[in-house]
Amino acid sequence: MRPADRPLTSCLRVIAHGRKCSRNDPTQGFSSGAQLLRRSGNTGKPNSAVKTLNLRWRTPNTLLAKVESFIPWLILRLQDHEKNTSDPGFATFARNLVAILPKKSIGTAFETPGTPDEFQQSLWQPSEQSKPLSLVRSLRSAFVSNGQPGVDAQLKYAYQGLLAGRKFSPTDLADQEKIADLRYPVEWYPATRAVQRKVVLHVGPTNSGKTYHALKRLEAAESGIYAGPLRLLAHEVYSRLNAKGKSCDLVTGDERLFQEQSAMKSCTVEMVPLNDDVDVAVIDEIQMIGHRERGWAWTQALLGLKAKELHLCGEARSVPLIRELVASMGDELEIHNYERLSPLKMMSASLDGDLRSLKKGDCVVVFSRFGIHAMKRGIEKATQKRVAVVYGSLPPEVRAQQARLFNDPANDYDILVASDAIGMGLNLAIKRIIFESVSKFNGSKYEIIEASHIKQIAGRAGRYRTAAQAEGLKGNLDDVGVDENAPAAQKPSTSVGLVTTFNSADLPVLRKAMDCEMSPIMSAGLLPPTHILTKFATYFPHTTSFSYILLRLHELSRRHPRYHLCVLKDQVVIADVIQPVSGLTTHDRIIFCAAPASITRSDHRMTHILTAFARCVGEHSSGALLDICELPLEILDAPETADRAYLESLEILHKGLILYLWLSYRFAGVFVDQAMAFYVKRLTEEKIEKRLSEYSASPAIQAKIRKMRDQALLQIQELDKPTPRQDNPQARMEVSAAPLSSENISTFEEDSEDRKLSLLWGIEESTTNDKAASSANQA
């Protein structure tokens, strides 16, 4: 067997030998480790050995904190860049960095004790890039969080920073720092500051009536806005208000429905119209203001909405921060506290993997579309019961129908399989929540769901209002309330909500999450607004990478302690993809960077679609749907097959159509086939749903997935052992995601990277009898 075919052995030899040599001379450890990698055949392009190191070093508090392990790998990676890059300047940059890495001063500085969180977070905006030690520290931190892609992106940023830095005078740098002063975001909305607002904060646990009371106030107003975290919630409020005779518009990123003479709007929080003067506005799930990626949208809505009366709904842990923010704006604050309307109980045992233990009113929570449909098929086969499904990307009409079927006690849809999207809103008659797993695949590994999210999903069990009463409201929206004037016979009776897991291995994690107390939210998310980013970009030559401008602004920014900068996730990848496209203005690039295009640099089909869309804007060419050959429209005419590639092509087309529709509202003169795009999108969704309903998961692959999840749980438990620097069990429940990692998956919608997860599920076509049974159930 060739040495290169033994990656794990090679890695262990590097680490062990480097440790042994570095006891006396750190420099010897670096060079010896690199020589071992070379002798093992691990040179040139990164092979499986380097990938193994990446996987090994993704876990905090492991050997990657040891400099003698990281430096040899970094040297090889830099040599690889030097050989393969087409930029001679970058080759020189890599060669010079290789020359200084073996110096003893670097190793000595690395041995200086750092802060406990030094290797927990990625320093994607390092200061003092010209100093080798600062650069190497940032590279190691990027590697801890993002592996090899993190190091590559950090190297690119450092190189571009060196090039750009030569062009700026001290005056230019001082001006850039002034523009990057983000300490006073309340001043970004002067028109709103001229309005004396009353802020009403409704706080309480799930199923406490907080959202119900806020929406009742919205219904009584002449004009208003609802802002929610998910499209399905915006749809629910839109349907509810129109059903009650209040004309309401729907505004989401890729869909807008307008009614005649409407004074109400139901929006996703990112789409809130800040210039509208309204009587009442409701911002749902206000605790999301502290989210590391999306928190900026809640901050923008809170600071910028021109509403005389602003209602905020969320968890009690948001009260201290909201109190500070409201005081800084000079608004009046009123706090309403709510208690849960029905008790919630943690079960002492799991289902132990037995589908036959499921009962009427159970909801199984699964974290991917493939998993949802596979679970649905498994339950139907094991129990002969009919199963409803609910997840965010279902068409609104289908989702509402499935919710009604489950809520109606008169039919035989006894069990629900749903995504974690139910944690934020749907009023479903759930008696028991069963977590199929407490870990989630993020595109590269399984990680434990955050404790706060687990508690929010679990809180959906034991609804205070019965199914029949919920239907009487002609809606499925979140928290319910009690009409004290209703006759006693009409008042709903309480029911105990139960929570457990599908497998016994997950039960301790669930119990710990349910028992822990959540810390207060300490800061609100921010992203630099368009006018600041546009002004900042004018200091750079037009050839400067826009991704570098984004990162540079983040690096220079100054913030008040009550605010934090949200991480740049897809924006940097999108900026790099469309960088070669000519004719795009800075404003065009800002719009594209905000687009819902969750892609990776290796996702060539979506990369080509995004580039084609950008080219239409930059060249002012035709954006007619049929003229964009990069969209795989031909898949709609292809024969339906059980091949996984067929489903992947449909999903690529669906993502491309959503992006087309999103852009059609921003570049209406370019992307002109909006109506056709909606029609094709519906056709694509029907084909996807049909294929998913005919799939089931291979038992062998399910066992493999369970083994991977158990290993993830063991790693978490190992990290959870008390150490001198880790004495906060609550903090260890949350596994932080990596900034700028395009593999990150939102924990508030079902997995948008189901194509990757399908490789693990081992999707296989159902038998003919199963297909017939499924068709009957669907009918």
Side-chain angles (χ1 to χ4, degrees), residues 580-591:
V581 179
S582 60
L584 293 176
T585 66
T586 298
H587 189 261
D588 294 338
R589 295 185 185 276
I590 292 173
I591 292 176

Side-chain angles (χ1 to χ4, degrees), residues 365-650:
V365 178
V366 185
F367 295 106
S368 77
R369 278 193 302 170
F370 279 104
I372 287 171
H373 285 275
M375 178 62 71
K376 174 181 181 291
R377 299 287 298 133
I379 294 173
E380 289 174 340
K381 290 176 65 176
T383 66
Q384 303 302 312
K385 295 179 180 178
R386 307 184 83 174
V387 179
V389 294
V390 169
Y391 51 90
S393 60
L394 273 178
E397 299 82 5
V398 177
R399 187 172 58 241
Q401 179 197 39
Q402 292 289 302
R404 283 194 297 269
L405 290 173
F406 177 71
N407 279 338
D408 187 358
N411 64 35
D412 54 354
Y413 280 84
D414 296 339
I415 299 170
L416 177 69
V417 179
S419 72
D420 52 345
I422 66 165
M424 288 191 178
L426 290 178
N427 182 11
L428 297 161
I430 298 171
K431 296 179 181 178
R432 181 172 61 168
I433 290 284
I434 299 107
F435 285 87
E436 186 265 344
S437 173
V438 293
S439 59
K440 184 174 182 178
F441 190 70
N442 71 356
S444 60
K445 63 176 181 178
Y446 280 97
E447 61 182 10
I448 302 299
I449 305 299
E450 292 182 359
S452 60
H453 195 42
I454 288 178
K455 297 177 79 169
Q456 191 167 36
I457 297 171
R460 295 297 155 186
R463 302 303 297 174
Y464 189 79
R465 190 177 297 276
T466 64
Q469 288 165 327
E471 286 300 295
L473 288 177
K474 299 185 182 300
N476 297 310
L477 196 76
D478 186 20
D479 295 314
V480 297
V482 181
D483 183 1
E484 297 297 341
N485 298 320
Q490 296 180 10
K491 290 186 179 181
S493 59
T494 59
S495 60
V496 177
L498 301 176
V499 184
T500 188
T501 59
F502 187 64
N503 295 285
S504 56
D506 294 327
L507 196 61
V509 178
L510 176 62
R511 182 177 292 110
K512 187 170 185 178
M514 296 296 293
D515 291 341
C516 75
E517 291 293 331
M518 305 308 301
S519 298
I521 298 172
M522 303 305 296
S523 60
L526 277 184
L527 277 182
T530 300
H531 71 276
I532 290 179
L533 184 52
T534 302
K535 188 175 182 180
F536 186 78
T538 59
Y539 283 88
F540 297 85
H542 70 279
T543 55
T544 305
S545 169
F546 194 69
S547 64
Y548 172 75
I549 296 175
L550 292 173
L551 293 171
R552 178 64 176 170
L553 179 55
H554 270 232
E555 175 190 352
L556 291 180
S557 64
R558 299 173 64 192
R559 301 172 302 282
H560 190 279
R562 69 169 65 101
Y563 298 99
H564 68 267
L565 272 179
C566 291
V567 297
L568 298 173
K569 185 183 174 186
D570 298 318
Q571 295 96 318
V572 172
V573 179
I574 294 173
D576 286 338
V577 168
I578 66 174
Q579 183 63 37
V581 179
S582 60
L584 293 176
T585 66
T586 298
H587 189 261
D588 294 338
R589 295 185 185 276
I590 292 173
I591 292 176
F592 269 93
C593 287
S598 180
I599 62 175
T600 64
R601 291 177 173 85
S602 60
D603 190 355
H604 300 300
R605 288 185 290 182
M606 271 308 298
T607 297
H608 293 158
I609 291 173
L610 179 61
T611 304
F613 290 164
R615 198 159 44 240
C616 290
V617 175
E619 300 174 357
H620 304 284
S621 58
S622 172
L625 191 66
L626 299 180
D627 292 341
I628 303 175
C629 59
E630 286 79 1
L631 284 172
L633 295 170
E634 65 280 356
I635 194 65
L636 297 175
D637 296 324
E640 296 185 5
T641 67
D643 186 3
R644 195 160 50 230
Y646 173 78
L647 184 59
E648 291 176 3
S649 297
L650 285 174

